[in-house]
Amino acid sequence: MGEVVMARHVPATAPAADPRLEAVLLLHEIEMFNTRYAATLDEQRLMDWAEMFTDDGFYLVISRENYQRDLPVGLIYCENKGMIRDRAFALKETAMFAPRYLRHMIANLSVEPEQPDGTIAARANYVVLQVLFDRPDATLHQVGTYYDKFRRTENGLKLAERRCVYDNLLVPNALCLPV
Amino acid sequence: MGEVVMARHVPATAPAADPRLEAVLLLHEIEMFNTRYAATLDEQRLMDWAEMFTDDGFYLVISRENYQRDLPVGLIYCENKGMIRDRAFALKETAMFAPRYLRHMIANLSVEPEQPDGTIAARANYVVLQVLFDRPDATLHQVGTYYDKFRRTENGLKLAERRCVYDNLLVPNALCLPV
Amino acid sequence: MGEVVMARHVPATAPAADPRLEAVLLLHEIEMFNTRYAATLDEQRLMDWAEMFTDDGFYLVISRENYQRDLPVGLIYCENKGMIRDRAFALKETAMFAPRYLRHMIANLSVEPEQPDGTIAARANYVVLQVLFDRPDATLHQVGTYYDKFRRTENGLKLAERRCVYDNLLVPNALCLPV
């Protein structure tokens, strides 16, 4: 809870004059965040993953069906960073987590203009490919959309909300992996 | 037919001095268009999809084999927006369309410099993932390349041509879905 | 060989003042390279593919398992452009190569700032989708990560190193295709 939320957006450098350019720079910033996020999960660095959220960060993995019906029932439901850390820690200790490779592909990113309070809404499509160690082929583990809110903090850009809305689960895993 | 084609490209703001920057801004503009395009189809908003074309918009879905042989035989062939609207309307009324989720992933975008008449040639690779409601797994519905011509109109950027050239159809669907 | 390595980075135009903008321009440049690279392989223009490397270009296709254990055993191992050209020529003559379609999807690109010697480190995730002519469906041929070093030469940007680290091979092909 030592986190101080920046009340106003303080950009690293003076803002660009051209609004088209400002949009490109913001998209690039979010894209780089998502790339780091994917690498963190692909490399199974779960504790680093938890640190990508704000202290009050909300994380949800939910089916498209439940999301559209406004049913809050999700595979994973975390209301703050403490719960996200607990999830990461628990998975790290789980023998079932390790013996698989995951690979994220993120595309179709769109970003709304930054709000005066430093909040940025965004969405992107994702595919998570999985290789189990006892099977030779890659499979489509999960396909879906991230609905996000980012926020600027003194420790840089963080996820204040990430709702992962999946179309499917190929393997209805007993083990609920973050995506 | 009330559409007025802008004879010359009138950018929203003054053009950037740096040609590298101009290329980035144009790529970004097309990328955002493709992201909106994909969302329109993923959310099954077919009438909105039809409006992303110019009045004389050409839309084709064709196999790589036929495309390479210059055979005009395609899964879908529309010569103008009227035909595209007809297709969208017909599908909307088809009970077979709804019970599936589609998810586009678009990548490997390249964009040619804008022509004096406001035409922009582009291409991108796409994958469409499908989840049928009576099956739990996602499948590769279609994999291919968009060969595009965009044009600036008074209603913003529109597709004057989109040729969707697919490598395969996993499910040789009786139902021909736009991609 | 006849290639002259540019000792210092000489940008096409004056560098942008804003470091954020410089990062966007560099990412864009690498992204366009990767898009051309993918098209070259997707269109089976293997001799063009070989020319995308520096004279001392290093090309490796290796499993994630061997890569993590620092085992140099790879599916493909080329220490310079001569070896890469040999590989391209041999495949071109192989009847087994042609009867398939390949389609690359590259995403999650990240790029390090350019070094004073003109070297640029980068990485990206890739999926290669394959359609065999005697099977109707697309399959996940290979999923992995490119670990790259680019270098500026008098013939433009080239790959000095590309390590393709794959999570899997769906079809443990006797035929080792470049990716």
Side-chain angles (χ1 to χ4, degrees), chain B residues 28-152:
Chain B
H28 178 254
E29 192 179 355
I30 302 294
E31 198 172 15
M32 292 305 95
F33 183 99
N34 281 341
T35 295
R36 286 196 307 275
Y37 179 98
T40 306
L41 288 179
D42 289 349
E43 295 163 8
Q44 307 197 347
R45 294 184 283 108
L46 291 171
M47 299 316 288
D48 292 340
W49 166 74
E51 295 311 311
M52 300 188 85
F53 290 83
T54 60
D55 286 348
D56 62 350
F58 179 80
Y59 180 70
L60 178 69
V61 182
I62 192 170
S63 71
R64 191 161 165 176
E65 195 180 2
N66 282 353
Y67 184 74
Q68 284 172 344
R69 292 179 186 175
D70 261 324
L71 292 174
V73 182
L75 272 183
I76 304 180
Y77 183 99
C78 296
E79 282 186 335
N80 54 56
K81 194 191 272 186
M83 289 177 71
I84 295 171
R85 279 187 183 130
D86 284 351
R87 164 75 55 164
F89 185 76
L91 273 173
K92 227 165 55 86
E93 303 300 303
T94 304
M96 279 176 67
F97 180 61
R100 76 191 65 218
Y101 287 139
L102 298 172
R103 183 71 55 203
H104 285 67
M105 301 291 284
I106 302 177
N108 299 34
L109 172 65
S110 68
V111 178
E112 300 292 315
E114 183 162 347
Q115 297 303 301
D117 66 353
T119 303
I120 303 155
R123 61 180 278 187
N125 287 355
Y126 67 87
V127 174
V128 183
L129 300 147
Q130 178 173 265
V131 178
L132 295 172
F133 284 6
D134 54 359
R135 284 173 38 175
D137 55 322
T139 53
L140 295 164
H141 172 62
Q142 198 175 115
V143 176
T145 302
Y146 294 132
Y147 294 94
D148 298 328
K149 281 200 184 134
F150 291 88
R151 204 190 300 141
R152 296 187 188 279

Side-chain angles (χ1 to χ4, degrees), chain A residues 1 8-9 32 35 38-39 43-44 48 60 69-71 73 78 85 105 108 112 129 148-149 157 174 177 179:
Chain A
M1 304 301 172
R8 296 176 58 86
H9 162 35
M32 292 305 95
T35 294
E43 294 162 8
Q44 308 197 346
D48 292 341
L60 178 69
R69 293 178 185 176
D70 260 325
L71 293 174
V73 183
C78 296
R85 280 188 183 130
M105 302 290 286
N108 298 34
E112 300 293 314
L129 300 147
D148 298 329
K149 281 199 184 137
L157 196 67
L177 305 175
V179 290

